[in-house]
Amino acid sequence: MSRILNIVERHTHHSSRRQHSMTMAIMRKGKQFRWQRKHLIGLRDLSAEEIHYILDTAQGFEQISTRSVKKAPPLRGKVVVNLFFEDSTRTRTSFALAASRLSADVVEFTMKNSSVSKGETLLDTARNLESMGVDIVVIRHNAAGAPKLLSRNINACVVNAGDGYCEHPTQALLDVYTIRQMKGSLEGLKIAIVGDISHSRVARSDMWAMTKLGAEVTLVGPPTLMPADVGRLPVNTSYSLDEVIEKVDVINMLRIQFERLGGNPFPSIREYSRYFGLTVERMQRAKPDIVVMHPGPINRGVEMESEVADGTNSVILRQVTNGLAVRMAVLFLVNQAAAETPA
Amino acid sequence: MVDHVLIKNGRVIDPANNLDEVCDVLILDGKIAEIGRFNGAVAKSVERVIDATGKLVTPGLIDIHVHFREPGDEEEETIASGSAAAVAAGFTSVVCMPNTNPTIENETDIEYVHRKGRQARKTHVYAMGAITKKREGVELAEMGMMAEAGARGFTDDGHGVQDVSVMLRALKYARMFDRVVAQHCQDDRIVGQGVMNAGYYSTILGLPGMDALAEESMLWRDIQLIRKTGVRYHAQHISTAGSVELIRQAKKDSLPVTCEVTPHHLLLTEEMCAEYDTNYKVNPPLRSKKDVDALKGAIADGLVDALATDHAPHLQSEKELEFLAAPFGIASIECALGLYVKALIDPKILDWPGLIRLMTLNPARIIGIDKGTLGRGRQGDVTIIDPDAEWVVDVNKFVSKSRNCPYHGWKLRGKVDKTLVGGELRFEAD
């Protein structure tokens, strides 16, 4: 269980034994596996094996948060910059905490609304960061593809903390981590993702991660909040939460992002909640051990009634806790891959 | 400078006169004097003899859709740099779109473009004027005086005229002038903030999509307005299978409707945006393979009247932005011919005379100029093409000021050897 942790400590204290320790780390189910990505851009490109490897690594880190001295040394001397072009509280805090628990120096770099007319371009920002010698850039950006653009133009590792409505890989990783924790495995599970699918990067990353790990995913929401050509995605779709609620093992309720909704995709919040809200009444028709998730922050009374959010099936706060371990794992792995690949 | 030129022994293609044979073209005083076989005595009397053996000799190519960015964005392109690029690509006439800064919307603006074109001394440079002031889609621009100044038509290109009542008024008003009204068909409300085709790829890339319906609904609307007004109408850069069907029906109904297709809508598809390379960000967006096939089918069926590049140069620094923020546009004029060969001749959709028709006679007719043919007495605008020459696109060798071209590194066949404008040799390949 604390395999990774041991490795982390051995690795830094006995660098001569590094090779040996790494070999330990790459043993998974008796199979040799080597993490090779110095960027984490999205989960669409990852294999199931890679996802499991991150989750296993996270499991090793989980303990650190429960110790009295909440620090491990693998990123000592490294600089992690939180480059956030969009508002965020929990993701940014979670990344900052994860980085500092791994002993990195964390720099906050917040810029709202990148655009050519309002100052520096993303690439200029990247070149500046490069000149300051950062090792890992955690980026959140309103434009899909911004992390990829950055990764092509910078030597540092790039970790996507959410880009437009493309991907939010660490959120999905912590979601599947939590599900794995609750259910043992995702293989064969039925999972519903409910809400504004079209504007949700969480829905996309979740969909990739969950289907790769063997779950059967159903996207639920009004047709006006479904993305184009949804039929070509490896998922089912439904416009009826009532039909889906009885069948699923896990339900992930997306936040209605009022700031992203253009042009009245549903008539009123009241009507939205009527059809897509997770109410106490609907919960009575769900499987008793259904796992209720939400990426936060919750609009109480819109996508979920408070009794449900705070109820016994809810793992919402556990998700937040797990986010820390998952982000530590991601930072650890990309840094390791960067160290192994010549610049 | 008056030029007497004899172009000898080329395969002369002149669709207007159903001509496709190996012979000579004699240009006297800058005008086409005669096509036939000439003896040595004639050769001695002219100032320049061009041996075109193994080459195609065609009417000067015409591109009715270019953005030369002047006035306003001269760092991206100027009329001088754009027309120099055009002439190197075999074009002898180009039509500049009015979406400059300020908008080309009155006779002075039209005259400005013409003057810059004359000063550049490369191609003939024409302009379309805006349909509405500042291309805002609200008040009509001075179409009459622009027509008098030589505007070849009207368009709010970059943008469609959204308000149906404004478009109806524009078409009615345009009845007074024999000019084409052209439209960039796109309903802004459907497109919203879209940056690429709406579909599977926009979904997985997390980019806002531009639904094909945005183009088709406006084209459908406009065709109904043409039924009512009967004005000559040109659908610019159609890009979807649905648009092809609308054009098919309009032509079946004998409406005065024409359309053009760009090289990128024949060669590129939406999945090429997958790496967020902004060189593939263009408006109308790259569509699906089904749409590409429909456009090729439309060309095979004779539904497409003209090929046009929509050459849209942009600065490197702008194209280096996020896909969401970068401007739309592909700079392609310098590889146009080779791209058309790849898209249309290689798969045997068109033969050379068919391709030349879509690049000369037809576009000339759309904009109402007395060009696009080698008929006697016409200006000596001639393009000489090496149909078999293979070459590799290298954006760093572009004459154009811009490099935003997704074809960099492509191997193409068909290269312009010489371009003559008014009998004057304006371009010669090394």
Side-chain angles (χ1 to χ4, degrees):
Chain A
M1 187 167 105
S2 59
R3 197 176 58 210
I4 299 288
L5 193 61
N6 290 336
I7 288 155
V8 164
E9 291 180 341
R10 262 193 281 159
H11 162 155
T12 38
H13 292 129
H14 313 281
S15 54
S16 59
R17 293 181 61 189
R18 182 161 171 243
Q19 218 36 54
H20 171 68
S21 314
M22 268 175 22
T23 316
M24 299 270 295
I26 61 186
M27 300 295 282
R28 198 189 117 74
K29 290 177 186 168
K31 197 174 155 195
Q32 278 247 330
F33 178 86
R34 191 155 163 256
W35 178 266
Q36 296 191 57
R37 294 177 189 267
K38 58 178 277 196
H39 308 299
L40 181 70
I41 305 299
L43 300 184
R44 182 162 62 95
D45 306 325
L46 263 56
S47 65
E49 197 173 29
E50 286 176 300
I51 294 171
H52 275 303
Y53 191 72
I54 300 173
L55 304 185
D56 292 349
T57 308
Q59 212 169 331
F61 282 125
E62 203 182 310
Q63 284 203 336
I64 294 183
S65 303
T66 61
R67 300 194 306 199
S68 62
V69 177
K70 298 181 173 55
K71 255 197 203 300
L75 295 190
R76 196 167 52 194
K78 300 289 176 185
V79 179
V80 175
V81 59
N82 260 344
L83 181 60
F84 276 57
F85 293 91
E86 239 184 26
D87 284 336
S88 160
T89 316
R90 69 194 61 211
T91 304
R92 197 177 58 199
T93 309
S94 181
F95 267 110
L97 263 178
S100 65
R101 285 192 180 167
L102 296 174
S103 307
D105 294 322
V106 184
V107 185
E108 296 289 338
F109 197 115
T110 309
M111 287 176 86
K112 254 191 126 176
N113 298 327
S114 136
S115 98
V116 69
S117 57
K118 289 178 200 152
E120 199 172 56
T121 67
L122 178 63
L123 288 197
D124 281 335
T125 306
R127 287 163 190 144
N128 275 279
L129 290 172
E130 192 92 90
S131 307
M132 293 182 213
V134 305
D135 299 289
I136 301 175
V137 181
V138 176
I139 179 176
R140 166 165 292 190
H141 202 289
N142 61 310
K148 194 164 242 177
L149 176 66
L150 187 66
S151 71
R152 278 202 295 259
N153 290 280
I154 196 166
N155 282 321
C157 302
V158 175
V159 175
N160 183 2
D163 63 325
Y165 31 95
C166 185
E167 286 232 34
H168 190 351
T170 57
Q171 175 69 42
L173 287 167
L174 73 88
D175 287 346
V176 291
Y177 184 85
T178 306
I179 296 169
R180 213 175 73 158
Q181 214 171 42
M182 303 303 295
K183 298 281 190 186
S185 157
L186 277 83
E187 198 68 49
L189 288 186
K190 289 186 163 54
I191 303 178
I193 303 173
V194 184
D196 177 0
I197 308 297
S198 63
H199 299 99
S200 175
R201 52 192 173 216
V202 176
R204 285 175 178 74
S205 285
D206 268 350
M207 170 187 77
W208 299 124
M210 291 166 178
T211 53
K212 281 168 199 278
L213 298 192
E216 184 188 323
V217 175
T218 304
L219 305 177
V220 185
T224 45
L225 291 176
M226 286 290 178
D229 250 353
V230 75
R232 285 180 64 187
L233 300 175
V235 293
N236 310 312
T237 53
S238 171
Y239 305 142
S240 168
L241 180 56
D242 285 320
E243 279 175 16
V244 172
I245 186 73
E246 296 163 14
K247 300 170 191 156
V248 293
D249 305 294
V250 177
I251 189 163
N252 191 11
M253 303 301 295
L254 301 174
R255 195 172 79 87
I256 284 294
Q257 304 182 81
F258 294 103
E259 69 278 10
R260 287 182 201 270
L261 292 179
N264 196 26
F266 48 81
S268 66
I269 290 173
R270 204 168 144 246
E271 183 156 315
Y272 177 83
S273 308
R274 167 85 58 93
Y275 295 124
F276 300 103
L278 192 54
T279 57
V280 173
E281 187 276 320
R282 281 201 172 97
M283 279 297 283
Q284 283 162 359
R285 285 183 280 134
K287 290 185 180 176
D289 61 344
I290 186 172
V291 173
V292 173
M293 308 178 83
H294 192 293
I298 310 176
N299 298 306
R300 285 175 185 263
V302 180
E303 55 265 7
M304 199 183 283
E305 287 181 351
S306 279
E307 292 88 328
V308 179
D310 306 330
T312 51
N313 296 82
S314 166
V315 295
I316 296 171
L317 292 175
R318 185 189 278 264
Q319 287 174 270
V320 177
T321 307
N322 289 340
L324 211 51
V326 161
R327 291 183 175 112
M328 286 167 75
V330 167
L331 294 173
F332 172 77
L333 289 173
V334 295
N335 179 64
Q336 193 183 56
E340 287 168 11
T341 43
Chain B
M1 191 176 84
V2 174
D3 239 338
H4 303 317
V5 185
L6 180 63
I7 304 166
K8 280 195 71 72
N9 212 29
R11 174 182 167 192
V12 181
I13 296 175
D14 184 19
N17 295 303
N18 275 320
L19 179 70
D20 179 8
E21 61 184 64
V22 175
C23 54
D24 310 334
V25 175
L26 180 65
I27 298 172
L28 295 176
D29 295 331
K31 295 202 161 96
I32 307 288
E34 191 105 37
I35 293 178
R37 283 293 190 176
F38 302 100
N39 57 27
V42 175
K44 263 175 218 152
S45 71
V46 300
E47 286 145 18
R48 190 192 295 277
V49 177
I50 296 170
D51 179 10
T53 307
K55 310 265 193 326
L56 310 180
V57 178
T58 75
L61 307 179
I62 299 172
D63 191 344
I64 57 172
H65 195 139
V66 302
H67 298 272
F68 285 173
R69 304 297 185 209
E70 197 173 359
D73 289 296
E74 289 85 353
E75 69 282 14
E76 295 178 341
E77 196 80 285
T78 61
I79 289 170
S81 69
S83 59
V87 83
F91 293 98
T92 57
S93 296
V94 295
V95 181
C96 293
M97 292 297 112
N99 62 334
T100 48
N101 188 13
T103 304
I104 304 298
E105 60 180 13
N106 60 44
E107 63 179 330
T108 314
D109 300 334
I110 296 287
E111 283 164 1
Y112 172 84
V113 174
H114 290 167
R115 174 163 58 80
K116 287 285 179 179
R118 284 194 304 275
Q119 287 170 345
R121 284 189 74 78
K122 294 296 182 189
T123 63
H124 302 289
V125 176
Y126 297 99
M128 285 202 191
I131 298 173
T132 65
K133 290 179 183 136
K134 296 184 178 151
R135 298 165 49 246
E136 284 174 341
V138 181
E139 286 180 42
L140 298 185
E142 292 172 337
M143 295 164 81
M145 287 196 277
M146 285 195 279
E148 270 188 64
R152 295 329 308 170
F154 306 100
T155 175
D156 279 1
D157 184 50
H159 214 73
V161 177
Q162 301 296 310
D163 185 327
V164 62
S165 70
V166 174
M167 191 60 190
L168 178 59
R169 199 179 311 141
L171 289 167
K172 279 184 175 170
Y173 190 73
R175 282 172 168 166
M176 284 198 286
F177 324 105
D178 181 26
R179 289 291 188 281
V180 68
V181 177
Q183 182 88 286
H184 177 149
C185 292
Q186 196 163 73
D187 187 312
D188 289 349
R189 288 155 301 188
I190 295 178
V191 155
Q193 301 302 305
V195 293
M196 69 174 291
N197 188 42
Y200 174 74
Y201 285 94
S202 69
T203 291
I204 64 168
L205 295 172
L207 290 169
M210 306 163 83
D211 200 295
L213 266 179
E215 175 173 316
E216 292 153 8
S217 62
M218 185 173 284
L219 179 57
W220 180 85
R221 178 202 79 177
D222 283 356
I223 289 171
Q224 308 318 306
L225 300 180
I226 300 307
R227 282 184 209 286
K228 191 172 172 67
T229 58
V231 168
R232 281 204 292 130
Y233 174 87
H234 179 69
Q236 300 178 286
H237 43 48
I238 62 163
S239 68
T240 76
S243 292
V244 168
E245 290 317 305
L246 291 165
I247 294 286
R248 191 188 303 278
Q249 186 60 47
K251 294 206 166 189
K252 204 184 264 179
D253 297 346
S254 303
L255 297 174
V257 170
T258 55
C259 70
E260 71 192 25
V261 171
T262 68
H264 43 274
H265 291 120
L266 293 170
L267 287 165
L268 308 176
T269 48
E270 58 187 334
E271 67 263 32
M272 295 174 179
C273 301
E275 291 299 310
Y276 300 94
D277 182 343
T278 58
N279 282 332
Y280 295 97
K281 182 176 175 182
V282 65
N283 186 6
L286 303 178
R287 306 283 190 185
S288 68
K289 181 162 184 308
K290 174 180 78 93
D291 296 300
V292 168
D293 290 343
L295 292 173
K296 288 182 174 173
I299 290 173
D301 295 347
L303 295 173
V304 173
D305 300 276
L307 298 167
T309 61
D310 192 7
H311 173 74
H314 285 292
L315 292 178
Q316 200 64 22
S317 57
E318 291 177 297
K319 279 289 193 180
E320 272 180 7
L321 294 174
E322 303 83 345
F323 200 93
L324 208 57
F328 292 101
I330 291 174
S332 61
I333 200 162
E334 275 167 82
C335 34
L337 183 71
L339 295 173
Y340 295 136
V341 170
K342 189 180 178 72
L344 300 170
I345 290 192
D346 287 348
K348 301 197 174 1
I349 292 164
L350 290 178
D351 55 9
W352 273 103
L355 176 63
I356 295 304
R357 173 184 286 271
L358 298 189
M359 297 184 76
T360 56
L361 181 64
N362 287 7
R365 283 181 177 159
I366 291 165
I367 59 168
I369 58 173
D370 192 21
K371 293 186 184 300
T373 145
L374 299 174
R376 188 180 294 178
R378 305 301 175 100
Q379 258 189 315
D381 295 352
V382 180
T383 303
I384 302 175
I385 297 164
D386 184 341
D388 302 314
E390 287 186 350
W391 61 290
V392 175
V393 180
D394 181 354
V395 296
N396 300 310
K397 291 185 181 157
F398 275 6
V399 178
S400 162
K401 283 186 153 189
S402 288
R403 305 280 176 269
N404 55 302
C405 175
Y407 310 110
H408 181 65
W410 280 36
K411 238 184 234 140
L412 298 177
R413 187 172 70 86
K415 201 170 187 327
V416 172
D417 185 53
K418 292 181 178 63
T419 312
L420 289 86
V421 178
E424 197 179 304
L425 187 63
R426 294 269 174 91
F427 170 76
E428 187 171 15
D430 330 313

